[in-house]
Amino acid sequence: MAEVAAHAGVSHQTVSRVLNDSPIVKPETRSRVLAAVEALGYRRNQAARMLATNRSGRIGMISAHLALHGPSMIAVAVQEAGHDAGYDVSLVGVSDFSRATLRGAVDRLLDEAVEALVVAVAHRDATEQALSLDLPVPVVLVQGVSADQPMAAGIDQEHGALLATEHLLDLGHRHVAHVTGPLDWDEARQRRAGWRAAHERRGLLPGPELLGDWSARSGHEAGRRIAADPAVTAVFAANDAMALGVLRALHEQGRAVPGEVSVVGFDDVPEAAYFWPGLTTVSQQFSALGRRAVELAVSALEGEPAPTAALITPDLVVRGSTAGPPA
């Protein structure tokens, strides 16, 4: 930094102000300092900066099952929101969830001196275990949360499933089948609850329930059973990958979509518009979720009280895979 100051003909303090985006530096001075930074190839010594400020400028994130669309998109959204807020985000992915894996991930991130943690794990006991660790930094939960949780940001999974199922009921279907996600995931159980609630609101019995595991393979297996049941005219799959498997099975068995069976998914993956037919699905607002999670973490670091979660409302995207039941 001293070399930058000498090269630009300014003081060490002026260089520090420029690098910290201080508004009191004149534009021509700022340009001269930045030109010196570029010419000398200067890079900040983050360790020294941390010692001087007692701040790492880093948020830690723990996520499970990053190979799946939802968790991977949440991780990207938090990293982008963190960057916009001036924080680096350190991500630790875990392939499965247990108290031991959670503790190990937390220890890795605390070793990096993170100032806050974002936990994106949708397993049933993740919330309880994350909060039971009694950590020295703020913790924000972002998956499988409910509206009354403090320090939590989430998407209203039950409402999204309600939208999907009510769309099919509005088209005239009477009993919508459901391919669930694994029921040890909070989000799978919340989507299942929305499917049931849509029927209950109209005094209808839901269609058959088939267990899936988020994979297209499990959707295909469920779809073969659905294809063999002529009474099923509509299916809500708990994610788009399983909906793809359902579509494949229906095509293989000669059941026209949407002429004989309508299909709705959940997630709105980029490929959903290019399924055959284009998939009607529920779009989650991942960018908004990332921003809210980072806002909660930053607010906690600034000493503000933790608000209860205000869930983000997803949207229904209607495409060609849904229509009224066959006459």
Side-chain angles (χ1 to χ4, degrees), residues 117-135:
L117 277 176
V118 176
V119 179
V121 183
H123 287 268
R124 183 181 301 175
D125 56 353
T127 299
E128 180 181 347
Q129 292 195 24
L131 296 178
S132 71
L133 294 174
D134 192 24
L135 299 175

Side-chain angles (χ1 to χ4, degrees), residues 81 140 142 152-154 287-297 309-313:
V140 179
V142 296
S287 293
L289 178 61
R291 288 193 301 271
R292 188 164 296 176
V294 171
E295 287 168 1
L296 282 170
L311 299 181
I312 297 165
T313 303

Side-chain angles (χ1 to χ4, degrees), residues 13-95:
Q13 290 84 356
T14 298
V15 175
S16 178
R17 292 188 187 104
V18 170
L19 295 176
N20 286 290
D21 294 323
S22 171
I24 67 173
V25 181
K26 294 179 180 179
E28 58 270 24
T29 302
R30 183 184 303 277
S31 297
R32 197 161 71 249
V33 169
L34 292 176
V37 165
E38 183 174 356
L40 295 174
Y42 172 79
R43 294 292 182 271
R44 285 189 177 190
N45 185 323
Q46 293 294 341
R49 184 184 180 205
M50 195 173 97
L51 287 171
T53 64
N54 201 29
R55 298 286 300 272
S56 68
R58 185 174 296 277
I59 293 172
M61 181 174 185
I62 300 169
S63 182
H65 304 289
L66 285 166
L68 296 175
H69 177 76
S72 67
M73 292 303 297
I74 292 171
V76 169
V78 170
Q79 289 174 314
E80 290 179 347
H83 180 267
D84 290 344
Y87 285 82
D88 294 325
V89 177
S90 293
L91 173 65
V92 174
V94 294
S95 59

Side-chain angles (χ1 to χ4, degrees), residues 8-281:
V10 298
S11 68
H12 178 281
Q13 290 84 356
T14 298
V15 175
S16 178
R17 292 188 187 104
V18 170
L19 295 176
N20 286 290
D21 294 323
S22 171
I24 67 173
V25 181
K26 294 179 180 179
E28 58 270 24
T29 302
R30 183 184 303 277
S31 297
R32 197 161 71 249
V33 169
L34 292 176
V37 165
E38 183 174 356
L40 295 174
Y42 172 79
R43 294 292 182 271
R44 285 189 177 190
N45 185 323
Q46 293 294 341
R49 184 184 180 205
M50 195 173 97
L51 287 171
T53 64
N54 201 29
R55 298 286 300 272
S56 68
R58 185 174 296 277
I59 293 172
M61 181 174 185
I62 300 169
S63 182
H65 304 289
L66 285 166
L68 296 175
H69 177 76
S72 67
M73 292 303 297
I74 292 171
V76 169
V78 170
Q79 289 174 314
E80 290 179 347
H83 180 267
D84 290 344
Y87 285 82
D88 294 325
V89 177
S90 293
L91 173 65
V92 174
V94 294
S95 59
D96 60 359
F97 179 78
S98 67
R99 188 175 185 84
T101 57
L102 176 62
R103 182 73 255 184
V106 166
D107 288 343
R108 286 177 59 187
L109 291 169
L110 291 180
D111 286 345
E112 296 185 29
V114 297
E115 297 184 38
L117 277 176
V118 176
V119 179
V121 183
H123 287 268
R124 183 181 301 175
D125 56 353
T127 299
E128 180 181 347
Q129 292 195 24
L131 296 178
S132 71
L133 294 174
D134 192 24
L135 299 175
V137 297
V139 178
V140 179
L141 305 172
V142 296
Q143 277 191 280
V145 306
S146 57
D148 58 351
Q149 284 182 246
M151 288 296 287
I155 294 169
D156 195 336
Q157 306 292 326
E158 184 169 341
H159 182 71
L162 188 76
L163 289 175
T165 310
E166 286 192 330
H167 168 67
L168 292 166
L169 296 176
D170 287 343
L171 288 171
H173 301 278
R174 301 288 292 171
H175 309 289
V176 177
H178 180 42
V179 184
T180 76
L183 296 179
D184 58 345
W185 286 57
D186 285 325
E187 293 181 346
R189 290 185 293 114
Q190 290 165 348
R191 294 173 194 179
R192 179 176 177 246
W195 163 70
R196 288 190 167 190
H199 288 88
E200 290 171 2
R201 287 187 179 188
R202 305 185 188 213
L204 298 173
L205 291 174
E209 178 180 330
L210 304 101
L211 183 62
D213 63 8
W214 300 131
S215 70
R217 177 196 53 77
S218 69
H220 184 263
E221 291 175 359
R224 293 179 63 183
R225 294 167 60 187
I226 289 166
D229 185 352
V232 175
T233 63
V235 184
F236 164 49
N239 77 342
D240 288 350
M242 293 190 298
L244 175 60
V246 170
L247 287 173
R248 173 66 181 263
L250 291 171
H251 290 321
E252 289 173 346
Q253 300 301 316
R255 300 290 302 277
V257 179
E260 295 179 69
V261 183
S262 289
V263 179
V264 178
F266 201 109
D267 277 341
D268 195 24
V269 300
E271 299 83 6
Y274 302 97
F275 290 1
W276 184 258
L279 183 65
T280 296
T281 185

